[in-house]
Amino acid sequence: MGKKQYRAQFDAEVTFANGGGLRTDGFRLDIPGRDIDDAALAALFVRHLGLLMVADVRITGRTIIEEPHKGGRGVTADHGDTGRRLVELSHVITDGMTTLPGWPGPQISEWLTREASRANYAPGTEFQVGRIDMIANTGTYLDSPAHRWADGVDLTGVPLDRLADLPGLVVRVPAGTRAVDRLLLAPYDVAGRAVLLHTGWSAHFGTDRYGAPDAPYLTGDGARALVEAGAALVGVDSINIDDMGPASGGERPAHSALLAAGIPIVEHLTGLDALPPDGFRFTAAPPMVAGMGTFPVRAFAVVG
């Protein structure tokens, strides 16, 4: 059996802040449960009718009826499981964590404690204000062109259509493969998509193994292939989208090619094994901080 649904029948007298009023008799309205009080019922009534500038609502003659919902703006209709789900793709940022070996971890503290705040507010009212001191390359983060290029746009210059609600595509990298090259990418239609490279390397995050020289990466030629094909964003679940091994000589061809083309990069993703090959939407939007080329993101996918 389905969940019981209820409606309220009541009279209402509405007073508007700019003058005038409204009265209804025997009005019926979908409600979330039979225990609703008058204040909550009044708020639902105002929302259902789309009333503006309401000063007061007086509810009288209220009765609760077990009856199927008829729909409206007050209570969202229950359509059952739509199959839509959200998939977390970010690492948790914790005090002192290691993202890149040898780089400083974040320091998380309190700028204002709940105890200290009590002196500023009425009795029973308190707040906490946290503080975090960190480098931009912490946790799961996004690189803008300014990260690599002095004349590139910073976080404030990356358009939202390169950061949010992008059609996503996962490239599954065969186990044991280090270099993601043009041939591995050739089967995929990447135009306008967030291309997420699933290497499985995120399993080592937070360990010494994560920064090992054999971590998977995108080759320069692979990056150029993605630029030529019109990728909107490129992400990877490895320590770096470029080769960090000693043979690289410190060159960063993937960063150079992608960011020169205005294609944002998201590094240190996780959870890509929970995504389908395509058919999802991807978001990784940092705050608009002027002068910053990189910043942590809450990366996630909407599936279904």
Side-chain angles (χ1 to χ4, degrees):
M1 295 180 61
K3 181 181 177 182
K4 290 182 178 180
Q5 295 183 336
Y6 297 94
R7 307 186 80 214
Q9 179 173 311
F10 56 93
D11 302 332
E13 187 173 347
V14 181
T15 304
F16 293 100
N18 58 342
L22 172 71
R23 179 175 177 83
T24 67
D25 297 317
F27 195 90
R28 289 198 180 191
L29 183 66
D30 296 350
I31 57 176
R34 66 180 309 141
D35 296 329
I36 190 169
D37 60 22
D38 283 354
L41 182 58
L44 280 178
F45 174 72
V46 169
R47 181 180 177 190
H48 178 77
L49 294 182
L51 301 176
L52 301 178
M53 301 186 70
V54 172
D56 184 59
V57 178
R58 181 169 175 264
I59 302 290
T60 57
R62 184 183 72 163
T63 58
I64 305 299
I65 307 160
E66 184 179 333
E67 184 176 79
H69 286 172
K70 306 302 182 184
R73 286 180 286 186
V75 175
T76 302
D78 182 8
H79 298 296
D81 183 9
T82 62
R84 181 179 178 273
R85 59 189 175 94
L86 296 172
V87 179
E88 178 66 67
L89 303 175
S90 300
H91 289 289
V92 176
I93 295 176
T94 59
D95 183 62
M97 69 179 287
T98 297
T99 300
L100 295 159
W103 293 37
Q107 298 178 14
I108 301 174
S109 58
E110 290 183 301
W111 180 78
L112 179 68
T113 66
R114 294 187 183 279
E115 292 76 16
S117 77
R118 293 169 189 164
N120 303 327
Y121 303 102
T125 303
E126 62 184 29
F127 295 93
Q128 186 266 358
V129 179
R131 174 171 180 163
I132 182 168
D133 296 292
M134 66 179 186
I135 62 171
N137 294 42
T138 296
T140 302
Y141 54 79
L142 180 135
D143 295 340
S144 71
H147 178 54
R148 171 66 180 84
W149 300 105
D151 59 351
V153 297
D154 62 13
L155 297 174
T156 68
V158 181
L160 275 175
D161 61 9
R162 288 295 182 107
L163 304 172
D165 197 33
L166 291 164
L169 171 71
V170 176
V171 175
R172 309 284 185 200
V173 179
T177 301
R178 281 203 67 218
V180 180
D181 59 16
R182 183 181 290 263
L183 285 178
L184 273 175
L185 298 168
Y188 300 94
D189 179 8
V190 304
R193 298 191 179 193
V195 181
L196 310 181
L197 307 179
H198 177 209
T199 72
W201 202 253
S202 63
H204 304 300
F205 187 84
T207 71
D208 292 340
R209 178 74 173 138
Y210 191 64
D214 58 337
Y217 65 95
L218 176 66
T219 67
D221 192 44
R224 289 187 290 274
L226 292 174
V227 171
E228 294 163 6
L233 175 149
V234 180
V236 66
D237 62 353
S238 187
I239 187 170
N240 200 298
I241 203 162
D242 272 296
D243 183 9
M244 292 181 63
S248 70
E251 294 184 0
R252 296 292 184 265
H255 274 93
S256 299
L258 294 171
L259 296 179
I263 300 174
I265 298 167
V266 181
E267 294 176 310
H268 311 283
L269 287 166
T270 188
L272 296 183
D273 56 321
L275 294 181
D278 56 17
F280 61 91
R281 312 293 293 191
F282 177 78
T283 294
M288 296 177 68
V289 185
M292 296 285 281
T294 300
F295 208 82
V297 294
R298 183 75 178 266
F300 64 91
V302 180
V303 180

